[in-house]
Amino acid sequence: MLKDYLIFSVSISFISWIVGMVINAVLMKTNHYQKLSKLNFIENKAVNKNLGLPYFKWIVKNTPFKFFNPNMKLKAKVVYSELVKIRKEMTFSEISHLAAFLFVGGFALVKVVYGQYLFSFVIMLVNALMNLYPSLLQQENKRRIDRLMESGRFFNS
């Protein structure tokens, strides 16, 4: 039973990535997208650390997940226009994961309505790992990019 819950949760979370990208593509055409691109749920580094974000970051950097978004890597000598492009990619990824998180949350809500609390819990646990944490990581990375852009420590070519 628990195995079935886990298989369903991972499957729906993978599917949600595509749904999130579609929702994000639609949102990009709205006036609200600029506001969404400036979301910052957790600005405090200590809270991010307590949530285990550094461990999640290590997993993303040191497992096959690193191949999912190859456009978001900084080079040693970075140009301002590259920073802007990378930040835009991070925003797209962040909002796609947030939309995916909400999409999967709908499935968990349905399971709660039907009294399947354990199933709902497993769905949200997997959803948090596959959608919420990547979004929080992108927010942290965007803050780092913003600091770099404000500092002027880049090449102007």
Side-chain angles (χ1 to χ4, degrees):
M1 181 169 76
L2 192 58
K3 178 181 158 189
D4 294 335
Y5 293 171
L6 194 57
I7 290 169
F8 175 84
S9 300
V10 170
S11 299
I12 198 66
S13 291
F14 269 115
I15 291 167
S16 75
W17 290 350
I18 295 167
V19 173
M21 287 188 281
V22 170
I23 292 170
N24 192 13
V26 170
L27 287 173
M28 288 175 83
K29 297 176 183 354
T30 68
N31 296 331
H32 303 290
Y33 196 77
Q34 277 296 2
K35 292 176 192 171
L36 288 174
S37 70
K38 294 178 180 147
L39 283 178
N40 237 341
F41 293 129
I42 303 170
E43 294 182 34
N44 189 320
K45 284 184 179 183
V47 173
N48 277 335
K49 187 175 181 182
N50 289 336
L51 287 173
L53 207 55
Y55 301 111
F56 183 78
K57 184 178 184 178
W58 184 91
I59 290 168
V60 170
K61 286 174 65 174
N62 296 293
T63 65
F65 285 108
K66 67 183 168 191
F67 300 113
F68 277 87
N69 280 331
N71 298 336
M72 289 191 246
K73 292 188 181 187
L74 285 177
K75 298 173 185 133
K77 293 183 178 182
V78 66
V79 179
Y80 185 81
S81 61
E82 290 176 20
L83 289 176
V84 171
K85 182 181 173 190
I86 290 171
R87 191 182 191 292
K88 186 176 179 181
E89 288 282 337
M90 287 179 176
T91 300
F92 185 85
S93 177
E94 170 199 359
I95 295 173
S96 294
H97 278 292
L98 284 176
F101 181 78
L102 294 174
F103 173 76
V104 174
F107 284 86
L109 185 61
V110 168
K111 295 300 178 186
V112 166
V113 168
Y114 285 102
Q116 297 175 316
Y117 304 113
L118 179 60
F119 199 171
S120 179
F121 176 76
V122 172
I123 289 172
M124 286 309 291
L125 183 65
V126 172
N127 191 22
L129 291 173
M130 293 182 70
N131 285 314
L132 184 60
Y133 270 72
S135 187
L136 292 175
L137 182 59
Q138 293 306 339
Q139 286 183 4
E140 181 179 287
N141 289 337
K142 281 187 347 185
R143 286 191 296 273
R144 290 173 47 218
I145 292 281
D146 290 344
R147 284 193 303 273
L148 186 59
M149 290 170 76
E150 289 171 6
S151 75
R153 290 180 287 158
F154 50 83
F155 295 90
N156 290 321
S157 298

PDB file of all heavy atoms in Angstrom, residues 86-101:
ATOM      1  N   ILE A  86      20.574  33.853 -17.145  1.00  0.00           N
ATOM      2  CA  ILE A  86      20.505  32.788 -16.133  1.00  0.00           C
ATOM      3  C   ILE A  86      19.408  33.087 -15.119  1.00  0.00           C
ATOM      4  O   ILE A  86      18.652  32.201 -14.717  1.00  0.00           O
ATOM      5  CB  ILE A  86      21.874  32.606 -15.444  1.00  0.00           C
ATOM      6  CG1 ILE A  86      22.868  32.001 -16.429  1.00  0.00           C
ATOM      7  CG2 ILE A  86      21.756  31.732 -14.199  1.00  0.00           C
ATOM      8  CD1 ILE A  86      24.298  31.982 -15.943  1.00  0.00           C
ATOM      9  N   ARG A  87      19.296  34.346 -14.720  1.00  0.00           N
ATOM     10  CA  ARG A  87      18.247  34.712 -13.756  1.00  0.00           C
ATOM     11  C   ARG A  87      16.860  34.457 -14.347  1.00  0.00           C
ATOM     12  O   ARG A  87      15.948  34.006 -13.667  1.00  0.00           O
ATOM     13  CB  ARG A  87      18.393  36.170 -13.330  1.00  0.00           C
ATOM     14  CG  ARG A  87      17.487  36.492 -12.148  1.00  0.00           C
ATOM     15  CD  ARG A  87      17.575  37.945 -11.736  1.00  0.00           C
ATOM     16  NE  ARG A  87      16.928  38.187 -10.478  1.00  0.00           N
ATOM     17  CZ  ARG A  87      15.617  38.119 -10.265  1.00  0.00           C
ATOM     18  NH1 ARG A  87      14.801  37.795 -11.249  1.00  0.00           N
ATOM     19  NH2 ARG A  87      15.106  38.359  -9.073  1.00  0.00           N
ATOM     20  N   LYS A  88      16.711  34.751 -15.636  1.00  0.00           N
ATOM     21  CA  LYS A  88      15.430  34.507 -16.302  1.00  0.00           C
ATOM     22  C   LYS A  88      15.112  33.011 -16.325  1.00  0.00           C
ATOM     23  O   LYS A  88      13.973  32.610 -16.080  1.00  0.00           O
ATOM     24  CB  LYS A  88      15.479  35.068 -17.722  1.00  0.00           C
ATOM     25  CG  LYS A  88      14.176  35.007 -18.453  1.00  0.00           C
ATOM     26  CD  LYS A  88      14.281  35.665 -19.821  1.00  0.00           C
ATOM     27  CE  LYS A  88      12.963  35.574 -20.556  1.00  0.00           C
ATOM     28  NZ  LYS A  88      13.037  36.175 -21.880  1.00  0.00           N
ATOM     29  N   GLU A  89      16.118  32.171 -16.593  1.00  0.00           N
ATOM     30  CA  GLU A  89      15.942  30.710 -16.568  1.00  0.00           C
ATOM     31  C   GLU A  89      15.556  30.236 -15.167  1.00  0.00           C
ATOM     32  O   GLU A  89      14.706  29.367 -15.008  1.00  0.00           O
ATOM     33  CB  GLU A  89      17.230  30.007 -17.004  1.00  0.00           C
ATOM     34  CG  GLU A  89      17.550  30.130 -18.467  1.00  0.00           C
ATOM     35  CD  GLU A  89      16.734  29.191 -19.333  1.00  0.00           C
ATOM     36  OE1 GLU A  89      16.249  28.161 -18.824  1.00  0.00           O
ATOM     37  OE2 GLU A  89      16.578  29.505 -20.518  1.00  0.00           O
ATOM     38  N   MET A  90      16.201  30.816 -14.158  1.00  0.00           N
ATOM     39  CA  MET A  90      15.897  30.447 -12.773  1.00  0.00           C
ATOM     40  C   MET A  90      14.472  30.827 -12.411  1.00  0.00           C
ATOM     41  O   MET A  90      13.774  30.072 -11.732  1.00  0.00           O
ATOM     42  CB  MET A  90      16.877  31.119 -11.818  1.00  0.00           C
ATOM     43  CG  MET A  90      18.246  30.540 -11.848  1.00  0.00           C
ATOM     44  SD  MET A  90      19.328  31.422 -10.725  1.00  0.00           S
ATOM     45  CE  MET A  90      20.816  30.460 -10.895  1.00  0.00           C
ATOM     46  N   THR A  91      14.048  31.993 -12.868  1.00  0.00           N
ATOM     47  CA  THR A  91      12.675  32.432 -12.603  1.00  0.00           C
ATOM     48  C   THR A  91      11.686  31.488 -13.266  1.00  0.00           C
ATOM     49  O   THR A  91      10.679  31.098 -12.657  1.00  0.00           O
ATOM     50  CB  THR A  91      12.462  33.877 -13.108  1.00  0.00           C
ATOM     51  OG1 THR A  91      13.377  34.732 -12.427  1.00  0.00           O
ATOM     52  CG2 THR A  91      11.045  34.346 -12.877  1.00  0.00           C
ATOM     53  N   PHE A  92      11.966  31.116 -14.504  1.00  0.00           N
ATOM     54  CA  PHE A  92      11.079  30.185 -15.207  1.00  0.00           C
ATOM     55  C   PHE A  92      10.982  28.865 -14.446  1.00  0.00           C
ATOM     56  O   PHE A  92       9.893  28.330 -14.229  1.00  0.00           O
ATOM     57  CB  PHE A  92      11.577  29.938 -16.642  1.00  0.00           C
ATOM     58  CG  PHE A  92      10.643  29.083 -17.444  1.00  0.00           C
ATOM     59  CD1 PHE A  92       9.558  29.649 -18.098  1.00  0.00           C
ATOM     60  CD2 PHE A  92      10.834  27.714 -17.531  1.00  0.00           C
ATOM     61  CE1 PHE A  92       8.677  28.860 -18.830  1.00  0.00           C
ATOM     62  CE2 PHE A  92       9.965  26.914 -18.256  1.00  0.00           C
ATOM     63  CZ  PHE A  92       8.883  27.491 -18.906  1.00  0.00           C
ATOM     64  N   SER A  93      12.126  28.346 -14.014  1.00  0.00           N
ATOM     65  CA  SER A  93      12.152  27.093 -13.270  1.00  0.00           C
ATOM     66  C   SER A  93      11.410  27.218 -11.941  1.00  0.00           C
ATOM     67  O   SER A  93      10.615  26.347 -11.566  1.00  0.00           O
ATOM     68  CB  SER A  93      13.601  26.678 -13.027  1.00  0.00           C
ATOM     69  OG  SER A  93      13.657  25.515 -12.253  1.00  0.00           O
ATOM     70  N   GLU A  94      11.665  28.318 -11.245  1.00  0.00           N
ATOM     71  CA  GLU A  94      11.031  28.536  -9.936  1.00  0.00           C
ATOM     72  C   GLU A  94       9.517  28.571 -10.051  1.00  0.00           C
ATOM     73  O   GLU A  94       8.800  27.884  -9.312  1.00  0.00           O
ATOM     74  CB  GLU A  94      11.536  29.854  -9.350  1.00  0.00           C
ATOM     75  CG  GLU A  94      10.784  30.305  -8.125  1.00  0.00           C
ATOM     76  CD  GLU A  94      10.972  31.790  -7.844  1.00  0.00           C
ATOM     77  OE1 GLU A  94      11.703  32.471  -8.585  1.00  0.00           O
ATOM     78  OE2 GLU A  94      10.368  32.251  -6.865  1.00  0.00           O
ATOM     79  N   ILE A  95       9.002  29.358 -10.981  1.00  0.00           N
ATOM     80  CA  ILE A  95       7.548  29.503 -11.109  1.00  0.00           C
ATOM     81  C   ILE A  95       6.923  28.217 -11.646  1.00  0.00           C
ATOM     82  O   ILE A  95       5.817  27.836 -11.238  1.00  0.00           O
ATOM     83  CB  ILE A  95       7.203  30.741 -11.960  1.00  0.00           C
ATOM     84  CG1 ILE A  95       7.661  32.001 -11.209  1.00  0.00           C
ATOM     85  CG2 ILE A  95       5.712  30.806 -12.265  1.00  0.00           C
ATOM     86  CD1 ILE A  95       7.533  33.285 -11.988  1.00  0.00           C
ATOM     87  N   SER A  96       7.626  27.525 -12.531  1.00  0.00           N
ATOM     88  CA  SER A  96       7.123  26.233 -13.023  1.00  0.00           C
ATOM     89  C   SER A  96       6.987  25.237 -11.877  1.00  0.00           C
ATOM     90  O   SER A  96       5.982  24.524 -11.777  1.00  0.00           O
ATOM     91  CB  SER A  96       8.061  25.665 -14.087  1.00  0.00           C
ATOM     92  OG  SER A  96       8.060  26.464 -15.241  1.00  0.00           O
ATOM     93  N   HIS A  97       7.994  25.196 -11.001  1.00  0.00           N
ATOM     94  CA  HIS A  97       7.927  24.286  -9.852  1.00  0.00           C
ATOM     95  C   HIS A  97       6.821  24.697  -8.875  1.00  0.00           C
ATOM     96  O   HIS A  97       6.161  23.828  -8.284  1.00  0.00           O
ATOM     97  CB  HIS A  97       9.265  24.210  -9.125  1.00  0.00           C
ATOM     98  CG  HIS A  97      10.237  23.276  -9.763  1.00  0.00           C
ATOM     99  ND1 HIS A  97      10.053  21.910  -9.789  1.00  0.00           N
ATOM    100  CD2 HIS A  97      11.407  23.509 -10.398  1.00  0.00           C
ATOM    101  CE1 HIS A  97      11.065  21.335 -10.410  1.00  0.00           C
ATOM    102  NE2 HIS A  97      11.909  22.289 -10.800  1.00  0.00           N
ATOM    103  N   LEU A  98       6.618  25.997  -8.706  1.00  0.00           N
ATOM    104  CA  LEU A  98       5.525  26.446  -7.817  1.00  0.00           C
ATOM    105  C   LEU A  98       4.167  26.047  -8.388  1.00  0.00           C
ATOM    106  O   LEU A  98       3.285  25.579  -7.650  1.00  0.00           O
ATOM    107  CB  LEU A  98       5.590  27.955  -7.612  1.00  0.00           C
ATOM    108  CG  LEU A  98       6.669  28.458  -6.675  1.00  0.00           C
ATOM    109  CD1 LEU A  98       6.683  29.983  -6.645  1.00  0.00           C
ATOM    110  CD2 LEU A  98       6.480  27.908  -5.274  1.00  0.00           C
ATOM    111  N   ALA A  99       3.983  26.236  -9.693  1.00  0.00           N
ATOM    112  CA  ALA A  99       2.729  25.829 -10.330  1.00  0.00           C
ATOM    113  C   ALA A  99       2.549  24.317 -10.211  1.00  0.00           C
ATOM    114  O   ALA A  99       1.443  23.832  -9.923  1.00  0.00           O
ATOM    115  CB  ALA A  99       2.721  26.267 -11.794  1.00  0.00           C
ATOM    116  N   ALA A 100       3.634  23.575 -10.401  1.00  0.00           N
ATOM    117  CA  ALA A 100       3.579  22.120 -10.266  1.00  0.00           C
ATOM    118  C   ALA A 100       3.228  21.719  -8.834  1.00  0.00           C
ATOM    119  O   ALA A 100       2.457  20.782  -8.615  1.00  0.00           O
ATOM    120  CB  ALA A 100       4.920  21.506 -10.680  1.00  0.00           C
ATOM    121  N   PHE A 101       3.796  22.442  -7.865  1.00  0.00           N
ATOM    122  CA  PHE A 101       3.504  22.171  -6.460  1.00  0.00           C
ATOM    123  C   PHE A 101       2.004  22.330  -6.183  1.00  0.00           C
ATOM    124  O   PHE A 101       1.388  21.482  -5.522  1.00  0.00           O
ATOM    125  CB  PHE A 101       4.316  23.107  -5.562  1.00  0.00           C
ATOM    126  CG  PHE A 101       4.103  22.888  -4.095  1.00  0.00           C
ATOM    127  CD1 PHE A 101       4.711  21.829  -3.446  1.00  0.00           C
ATOM    128  CD2 PHE A 101       3.294  23.743  -3.360  1.00  0.00           C
ATOM    129  CE1 PHE A 101       4.514  21.623  -2.082  1.00  0.00           C
ATOM    130  CE2 PHE A 101       3.093  23.551  -2.013  1.00  0.00           C
ATOM    131  CZ  PHE A 101       3.702  22.486  -1.367  1.00  0.00           C
TER     132      PHE A 101
END
